[in-house]
Amino acid sequence: MDTRPITRSLYVAGLAALFVHGNPALAEGVSAGTLIENTATATYDDGDGPKSVDSNTVTLRVDELLDVTVTSLNSGAVAAVPGDAVLTFELTNQGNGPEAFELVTNPTVTGNDFDVTVDDVAVDTNGNGTYDPGVDEILTAPQTTAVLAADERLTLFVLVTVPTGVTDTQQSTVELTANAVTGTGAPGTTFAGQGVGGGDAIAGTTGASAIATGALQVGITSVDLIKSATIADPFGGTSAVPGSVVTFTITANVAGSGSVDDLIVTDAIPTGTSYTAGTLALDGAPLTDASGDDAGEADAAGISVDLGTVAGGTSRSVTFAVTID
Ligand SMILES: [Ca+2]
Ligand SMILES: [Ca+2]
Ligand SMILES: [Ca+2]
């Protein structure tokens, strides 16, 4: 005979059905407007076979959280000279529902060495990360993005003009603020009925507002050319007479925090003299007279040396010799 006591077991199965309408894999969580339905089930054995019982179903609609982030996409300060410059930002709808954002720029930031003029805010319409005039859409006031889906990102360009009169290494920053069009406020601020599907919209941890700064640094680079000559006459002296060899030195001094591109030094062979073949040199190292094989070329008419890109603070010296006819 079985003497074991009757075992009554009760298993409560929690979290039954989770109905998700839409995409739940968002940074902010479940999509706004999603209905979350929950029914609890209990199973037990009352000694007369297994039984189960369901609870009533509780249905929750997920409200819309309003959140946004803005970051600068420039790696450090953008090198600038007087004239047009572009600052690049990324805006992300961090909320869990669709939302548009109004954009506000501020070029007069405390600590600026100079202030730029903000000309426009543009959207990277063709998505290549670069401002393309005539292609990328310029927003009209009030500058507002399209409605962005939850988690959608947008690359934005702030188009500015750097004023004349700025000096090398001066810096300026520009702020870009994005505010949810539905509203902003302290986290938890509720906009009744203004969320997805008539639910509430609620300011999230960002307060539905974000700000980022972009920086510009002036890089003005100048080139100074200095030419000198030394003379060796046929008699061991330094007189300029027919037959004297004149060695010219041309020094290019590049100054400033930036660099110059395509720096080419040229000089015509003076009338009354003839180029001495094989005397062209850069920083003391010989260059051939032929073209296309190194930085330099020379012929009866003149010399040319291509220094390429030269950073500020650098000096390069070109030398060559002529003989007085
Ligand atoms: Ca919305
Ligand atoms: Ca573009
Ligand atoms: Ca050459």
Side-chain angles (χ1 to χ4, degrees):
M1 180 180 170
D2 189 351
T3 57
R4 287 178 295 174
I6 294 171
T7 301
R8 298 196 176 194
S9 57
L10 183 72
Y11 305 102
V12 175
L15 276 181
L18 181 68
F19 279 76
V20 173
H21 309 280
N23 178 7
L26 301 174
E28 189 75 85
V30 178
S31 298
T34 299
L35 297 179
I36 294 180
E37 300 181 345
N38 181 273
T39 306
T41 301
T43 61
Y44 57 94
D45 186 335
D46 62 359
D48 194 23
K51 303 281 169 51
S52 85
V53 62
D54 289 345
S55 75
N56 59 301
T57 297
V58 173
T59 303
L60 303 170
R61 180 177 55 201
V62 177
D63 282 333
E64 182 175 348
L65 280 175
L66 303 171
D67 270 316
V68 61
T69 56
V70 182
T71 56
S72 169
L73 291 184
N74 298 124
S75 55
V78 172
V81 294
D84 295 339
V86 179
L87 293 167
T88 307
F89 296 88
E90 182 176 74
L91 181 157
T92 304
N93 176 8
Q94 295 279 6
N96 63 347
E99 185 68 22
F101 299 90
E102 185 170 344
L103 306 170
V104 181
T105 56
N106 173 27
T108 58
V109 178
T110 303
N112 278 354
D113 296 326
F114 63 95
D115 294 332
V116 299
T117 305
V118 174
D119 302 313
D120 283 302
V121 178
V123 173
D124 188 17
T125 308
N126 62 359
N128 65 353
T130 303
Y131 175 60
D132 300 296
V135 175
D136 292 332
E137 180 195 5
I138 289 178
L139 299 175
T140 53
Q143 287 138 333
T144 306
T145 69
V147 173
L148 304 179
D151 280 357
E152 189 173 349
R153 295 157 186 252
L154 202 58
T155 298
L156 299 167
F157 304 109
V158 176
L159 311 179
V160 304
T161 300
V162 176
T164 55
V166 294
T167 56
D168 196 29
T169 75
Q170 280 191 318
Q171 293 211 3
S172 185
T173 55
V174 175
E175 293 175 342
L176 176 65
T177 301
N179 296 318
V181 166
T182 298
T184 63
T189 302
T190 299
F191 304 92
Q194 295 186 55
V196 172
D200 293 344
I202 301 171
T205 53
T206 63
S209 178
I211 188 167
T213 58
L216 298 143
Q217 177 167 318
V218 176
I220 294 177
T221 311
S222 61
V223 178
D224 194 27
L225 266 191
I226 299 167
K227 187 172 180 181
S228 61
T230 59
I231 303 170
D233 70 30
F235 319 110
T238 58
S239 299
V241 296
S244 292
V245 174
V246 182
T247 300
F248 290 111
T249 299
I250 306 163
T251 302
N253 296 314
V254 181
S257 63
S259 61
V260 293
D261 297 324
D262 302 325
L263 177 57
I264 298 173
V265 174
T266 59
D267 200 358
I269 303 303
T271 303
T273 71
S274 300
Y275 173 65
T276 308
T279 58
L280 184 64
L282 173 60
D283 299 329
L287 298 173
T288 69
D289 292 344
S291 64
D293 58 350
D294 56 25
E297 57 185 277
D299 58 22
I303 64 98
S304 176
V305 178
D306 186 346
L307 299 173
T309 298
V310 181
T314 306
S315 289
R316 308 296 304 269
S317 270
V318 172
T319 53
F320 66 98
V322 300
T323 304
I324 298 177
D325 300 333

